[in-house]
Amino acid sequence: MGKPLNVGIIGCGAIIAQYLASFRRLQENNLVNLVAVADLDAARAHAVADDYEGVRALTVDELLAADDVELVLNLTIPAAHAEVALKAIAAGKHVYGEKPLAATTAEAREVLDAAKAAGVLVGCAPDTVLGTGIQTARKAIDDGLIGRVVSATATMMTPGHERWHPNPDFYYQPGGGPLLDMGPYYVSALVTLLGPVVSVIGAASHTRSERTVGSGPREGETIPVTTDTHVTGVLVHASGALSTLVMSFDAVKTKSPNIEIHGERGSLAVPDPNHFDGDVQLFPLGGTEWQALPVSAGYTGSGRGFGVADLAGNPQGQEPRAGGSLAFHALEIMEGVLKSAQSGQAVAITSTADRPAAVELAAIAREVQTTSAQ
């Protein structure tokens, strides 16, 4: 943490705005230093560079060859995640990518193996698990507030992204769907809270063969649906806890908490894992009402990109909290649920991932690393 980590971003689509907002804060604290951006659409890269002092707009090849880029932040589309990551690793760069780690576990394994051989680090979104919402819930579990964990539920239900997204085709094609789109947030949170998964059972369906684009220049256009849009899975954790996962683009609304954790001595309502904060509520055995827990862990006021700063302060030889092993395990879990839905049989999960190190209550990564070292 003696000097900031120099970052180059490949992919200047809509999500980059959230990373840039975080990087401005992190750069002020000498944690990361954005030096270059690249996109297949050169105009998008130049627009970012024009608005961010000290940043160069480069081609992808120029960015990968740049001596001052130490880590490549990969914000390309999921189908390109593995290709870009492998090129960055071949250039000797650390890699941090948007979720998922790759389109398939086969591609993801190639990325992790290449990184290990090259001696570079791999990080991956979602870093929402580092925020105060998930981390406060984890501390409550670790402190024994609900006793031994028995089960969890994770629920995400919407009527579909075509209602607001101007180009929603990907969400309704193989490789899309609610599980692969939103599942990384929920599965990564469940593993962070309850530990790794050893087997899964899944079922899936879809209600419509086509969808209608609801906004933008293509409003009113119909698109085909060629993947399942409602997925249910049961995850068997190594601890013995059972998590029930429901991901849907077919439901109108739900009153179910995004995540609930049930233990022998109480239950926790956990905030939306797509966000970094939110209230954690506890209902203790014998209690009369839900009570909000004080914020007690995690990066305060964090946002997308804090996982990059956390990686920058990663102790030598330690897996980053938002690291490749967790991202791979989450991807294999999701693939397993979909395979089970097709076969009607339980699927064993062959990978594992340790629960990432807890994040103490702090504003920035340096505070956690300093505190941990004392």
Side-chain angles (χ1 to χ4, degrees):
M1 299 297 293
K3 66 180 183 67
L5 179 71
N6 286 342
V7 176
I9 299 177
I10 297 179
C12 297
I15 192 66
I16 196 174
Q18 296 184 51
Y19 280 90
L20 294 178
S22 294
F23 278 10
R24 292 183 191 279
R25 174 183 168 192
L26 294 168
Q27 196 154 329
E28 290 176 357
N29 286 281
N30 204 40
L31 293 169
V32 299
N33 181 34
L34 181 61
V35 298
V37 294
D39 193 281
L40 294 178
D41 182 347
R44 295 204 299 190
H46 281 284
V48 172
D50 290 344
D51 192 48
Y52 203 115
E53 185 178 355
V55 172
R56 314 190 305 278
L58 304 175
T59 67
V60 171
D61 288 342
E62 288 171 342
L63 188 147
L64 291 171
D67 290 337
D68 61 341
V69 173
E70 298 172 287
L71 177 142
V72 171
L73 175 54
N74 183 3
L75 303 184
T76 59
I77 61 173
H81 283 181
E83 178 186 358
V84 172
L86 288 169
K87 287 181 178 179
I89 291 167
K93 319 291 189 187
H94 304 297
V95 177
Y96 185 96
E98 252 303 322
K99 54 82 182 172
L101 179 59
T104 66
T105 51
E107 290 182 350
R109 174 51 60 197
E110 188 177 359
V111 169
L112 295 185
D113 288 348
K116 182 177 181 180
V120 299
L121 294 173
V122 175
C124 188
D127 50 2
T128 48
V129 295
L130 307 180
T132 55
I134 300 301
Q135 289 294 321
T136 294
R138 173 186 173 145
K139 189 173 190 305
I141 294 170
D142 291 349
D143 288 349
L145 295 189
I146 63 172
R148 184 170 66 92
V149 176
V150 176
S151 66
T153 59
T155 306
M156 191 288 301
M157 292 189 174
T158 77
H161 290 353
E162 77 281 1
R163 295 169 60 85
W164 56 268
H165 199 293
N167 294 293
D169 308 68
F170 168 77
Y171 296 110
Y172 299 101
Q173 298 170 358
L179 180 59
L180 292 177
D181 174 45
M182 296 300 294
Y185 299 105
Y186 290 79
V187 174
S188 297
L190 289 171
V191 174
T192 297
L193 294 168
L194 306 182
V197 171
V198 295
S199 67
V200 298
I201 301 169
S205 65
H206 65 275
T207 59
R208 284 169 276 173
S209 60
E210 61 181 30
R211 300 270 177 148
T212 302
V213 179
S215 65
R218 298 174 61 194
E219 184 176 356
E221 179 183 337
T222 59
I223 59 174
V225 176
T226 55
T227 193
D228 285 320
T229 49
H230 184 97
V231 182
T232 299
V234 176
L235 318 182
V236 181
H237 294 264
S239 66
L242 304 177
S243 292
T244 302
L245 186 71
V246 181
M247 303 278 111
S248 183
F249 287 161
D250 290 337
V252 174
K253 200 70 174 175
T254 179
K255 292 180 70 175
S256 299
N258 296 98
I259 296 178
E260 279 189 337
I261 311 293
H262 304 287
E264 292 180 311
R265 292 172 45 203
S267 294
L268 285 176
V270 182
D272 188 346
N274 191 21
H275 299 300
F276 288 81
D277 54 12
D279 288 339
V280 177
Q281 295 185 309
L282 168 69
F283 199 110
L285 181 66
T288 58
E289 59 183 15
W290 291 94
Q291 57 191 57
L293 296 179
V295 172
S296 58
Y299 292 128
T300 59
S302 51
R304 282 170 170 79
F306 267 63
V308 177
D310 190 82
L311 180 150
N314 194 62
Q316 187 73 24
Q318 182 173 306
E319 174 77 4
R321 289 183 177 91
S325 294
L326 175 60
F328 183 92
H329 189 56
L331 181 58
E332 188 186 1
I333 290 167
M334 293 185 293
E335 272 195 4
V337 169
L338 296 176
K339 288 177 182 177
S340 176
Q342 294 174 347
S343 69
Q345 297 179 334
V347 172
I349 303 301
T350 59
S351 68
T352 191
D354 293 333
R355 293 174 79 207
V359 180
E360 298 168 27
L361 187 62
I364 55 175
R366 182 182 295 107
E367 295 175 7
V368 170
Q369 301 303 332
T370 302
T371 302
S372 298
Q374 293 175 346

